[in-house]
C-alpha cells in the first residue's frame, strides 16, 4: 500500500535511476529510427549498423557526452511520465472497479474493490495513467529527442543545434510558440498509451502467475522476472508508434502532416519493417529500464510507507493498495 503521492514520488525516483543506466541505448535507438528517413532501403546510408556498433561509433566520435545527450530532459520526463503512470494507475483502477462492481465511486477504498482484478480495467488504467504522463512531459521528450539525434560527426535526420535542454525549449517556444512545444504529442500519447496499457497489467499478471505456479516469495527475484516479462511485451507493442513519434518530434516545418501521414510514407518508402528500425536498441534500453523502474519502485515504495507511517502518521485506512 502507498498513498498516491508516495507512488508518484516512488515511480519518478525509480525511473530516474533506471534512465541513468539505459540512456545511451535510447540515443542509439533514436538515431537508428531516423537513419534513412524516407529513403529507399537501397539508397539509405548505414552510419549505425546496430546496437553495439552504434554505441561504439558514438563513443569514438563524441565520447560519453554524445551517448548521454538530453539526459537532463530524460530525468524530467521520467519523473513526470512514470510518476503519473505508477501514481495514478492504482487510484484509476480501484475507482473503475468501484464503478463496475457498485455503480458508484464511493467504495474505491474497500478491500473487496481493491482486490478485484479485471484485465480490461487494468489495461484501461495503465493506458490512461500513461497518456496523462505523456501529455504532461511531451515538451521535454521533444527536446530530448532532438538533442539525442544531433551529431556533428555522423548526422541522421534533421539536425537541431541546442546548447542544452533549456536552450532547446527556449528556441522552440520563440520560433513556434506553445504549439511547437507540443509538436508530436498525439503520437507520444498513443505510444505511451500502448506501452502503459500492457506494462503494469503484464507485470502484475506475471507476478501473480509466478507466485501461483512456482510459489515464489515476494522479493527481488520475483520483481526481476515479472519486470523482464513486462519489458519484452512493452517493446513489441510500443515500438511502431515510438518510431513515428521520434520522426514527428525531430521534423522541422511540416515534413509530415500528422502521425498517419508519417506512418504511411515511412512504410511506403522504406517498407513495413521500417517501423521496427532500432528495435533491438529499444529492447536493450527498455528491458533493463523496465526491470530497474518496477523493481526500484517496489523498494522505493516500501521506504515511502515507512516515511508516511513514522513522519506523517498516515494510517493504513487512508492508503491505496
Amino acid at each position: 500500500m502507498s498513498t498516491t503521492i508516495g507512488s508518484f514520488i516512488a515511480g519518478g525516483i525509480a525511473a530516474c535511476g533506471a534512465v541513468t543506466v539505459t540512456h545511451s541505448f535510447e540515443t542509439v535507438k533514436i538515431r537508428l529510427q531516423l537513419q534513412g528517413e524516407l529513403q529507399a532501403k537501397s539508397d539509405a546510408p548505414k552510419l549505425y549498423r546496430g546496437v553495439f556498433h552504434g554505441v561504439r561509433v558514438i563513443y569514438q566520435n563524441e565520447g560519453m557526452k554524445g551517448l548521454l545527450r538530453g539526459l537532463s530532459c530524460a530525468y524530467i520526463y521520467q519523473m513526470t511520465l512514470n510518476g503519473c503512470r505508477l501514481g495514478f494507475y492504482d487510484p484509476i483502477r480501484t475507482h473503475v472497479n468501484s464503478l463496475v462492481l457498485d455503480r458508484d465511486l464511493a467504495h474505491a477504498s474497500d478491500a473487496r474493490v481493491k482486490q478485484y482484478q479485471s484485465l480490461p480495467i487494468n489495461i484501461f488504467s495503465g493506458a490512461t495513467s500513461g497518456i496523462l504522463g505523456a501529455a504532461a512531459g511531451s515538451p521535454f521528450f521533444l527536446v530530448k529527442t532532438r538533442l539525442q539525434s544531433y551529431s556533428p560527426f555522423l548526422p541522421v535526420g534533421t539536425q537541431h543545434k541546442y546548447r542544452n535542454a533549456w536552450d532547446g525549449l527556449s528556441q522552440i517556444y520563440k520560433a513556434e510558440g506553445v504549439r511547437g512545444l507540443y509538436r508530436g504529442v498525439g503520437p507520444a500519447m498513443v505510444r505511451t498509451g500502448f506501452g502503459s496499457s500492457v506494462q503494469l497489467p503484464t507485470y502484475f499478471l506475471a507476478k501473480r502467475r509466478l507466485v501461483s505456479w512456482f510459489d515464489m516469495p515476494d522479493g527481488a527475484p520475483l520483481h526481476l522476472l515479472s519486470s523482464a516479462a513486462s519489458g519484452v511485451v512493452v517493446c513489441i507493442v510500443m515500438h511502431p508508434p515510438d518510431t513515428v513519434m521520434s520522426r514527428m518530434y525531430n521534423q522541422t516545418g511540416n515534413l509530415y502532416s500528422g502521425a498517419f501521414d508519417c506512418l504511411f510514407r515511412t512504410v511506403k518508402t522504406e517498407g513495413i519493417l521500417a517501423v521496427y528500425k532500432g528495435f533491438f536498441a529499444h529492447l536493450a534500453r527498455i528491458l533493463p529500464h523496465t526491470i530497474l523502474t518496477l523493481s526500484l519502485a517496489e523498494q522505493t515504495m516500501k521506504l515511502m510507507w515507512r516515511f508516511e507511517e513514522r513522519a506523517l502518521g498516515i494510517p493504513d485506512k487512508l492508503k491505496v493498495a
Side-chain angles (χ1 to χ4, degrees):
M1 295 181 298
S2 176
T3 64
T4 300
I5 294 174
S7 297
F8 187 100
I9 295 171
I13 292 172
C16 285
V19 82
T20 303
V21 177
T22 62
H23 190 75
S24 57
F25 292 120
E26 173 79 356
T27 301
V28 175
K29 181 211 76 173
I30 287 172
R31 295 193 187 184
L32 286 168
Q33 288 174 322
L34 296 174
Q35 181 171 258
E37 186 173 16
L38 297 184
Q39 292 179 287
K41 191 173 181 180
S42 57
D43 300 329
K46 295 200 73 173
L47 303 178
Y48 306 99
R49 295 195 297 271
V51 185
F52 298 110
H53 178 262
V55 170
R56 181 167 61 83
V57 296
I58 293 172
Y59 180 75
Q60 286 176 343
N61 289 282
E62 303 170 50
M64 284 304 298
K65 181 180 178 182
L67 288 169
L68 297 179
R69 289 185 193 278
L71 185 58
S72 60
C73 271
Y75 284 143
I76 299 171
Y77 177 74
Q78 291 296 336
M79 281 292 292
T80 306
L81 171 65
N82 286 289
C84 289
R85 187 151 54 185
L86 296 177
F88 292 144
Y89 172 76
D90 216 57
I92 292 172
R93 185 185 68 82
T94 53
H95 279 80
V96 176
N97 282 351
S98 179
L99 198 60
V100 169
L101 294 175
D102 301 312
R103 302 195 177 182
D104 64 44
L105 301 174
H107 298 86
S109 58
D110 292 359
R112 172 181 58 89
V113 172
K114 290 178 181 180
Q115 291 168 4
Y116 179 71
Q117 294 292 336
S118 165
L119 185 59
I121 291 175
N122 292 353
I123 290 173
F124 171 80
S125 304
T128 304
S129 59
I131 287 169
L132 290 172
S138 185
F140 299 102
F141 206 110
L142 167 68
V143 175
K144 180 190 78 68
T145 299
R146 293 184 175 187
L147 285 168
Q148 288 178 293
S149 68
Y150 175 75
S151 172
F153 300 98
L154 297 170
V156 290
T158 304
Q159 296 289 282
H160 305 271
K161 192 172 182 180
Y162 303 140
R163 291 192 303 274
N164 51 48
W166 300 113
D167 179 55
L169 289 168
S170 176
Q171 284 194 41
I172 294 168
Y173 179 74
K174 287 176 182 177
E176 304 174 63
V178 173
R179 184 176 180 180
L181 290 172
Y182 279 89
R183 176 192 291 274
V185 67
M189 291 168 69
V190 171
R191 164 204 183 262
T192 309
F194 276 24
S196 298
S197 69
V198 297
Q199 184 191 48
L200 292 178
T202 305
Y203 174 74
F204 290 121
L205 177 64
K207 198 175 174 185
R208 289 196 300 273
R209 290 294 178 265
L210 287 168
V211 171
S212 172
W213 293 345
F214 303 104
D215 199 27
M216 289 187 71
D218 188 39
L222 176 62
H223 301 160
L224 286 170
L225 289 173
S226 304
S227 301
S230 176
V232 172
V233 175
V234 166
C235 194
I236 292 169
V237 170
M238 194 169 71
H239 194 78
D242 185 83
T243 299
V244 172
M245 182 204 66
S246 293
R247 295 188 171 194
M248 290 288 291
Y249 271 157
N250 198 59
Q251 71 170 332
T252 298
N254 295 301
L255 179 61
Y256 305 110
S257 61
F260 288 108
D261 179 55
C262 177
L263 178 63
F264 175 76
R265 292 174 64 189
T266 296
V267 172
K268 182 181 178 181
T269 308
E270 304 168 53
I272 188 66
L273 292 180
V275 296
Y276 274 97
K277 278 186 174 181
F279 175 79
F280 291 107
H282 196 180
L283 188 63
R285 183 200 75 83
I286 209 166
L287 197 57
H289 183 90
T290 304
I291 290 171
L292 288 168
T293 297
L294 296 177
S295 298
L296 287 173
E298 293 264 13
Q299 304 309 315
T300 310
M301 278 191 270
K302 288 178 182 178
L303 294 175
M304 290 301 302
W305 303 336
R306 293 172 191 166
F307 173 77
E308 290 165 352
E309 289 170 356
R310 295 176 185 177
L312 303 179
I314 296 177
D316 282 352
K317 66 181 180 180
L318 295 181
K319 294 182 179 180
V320 179

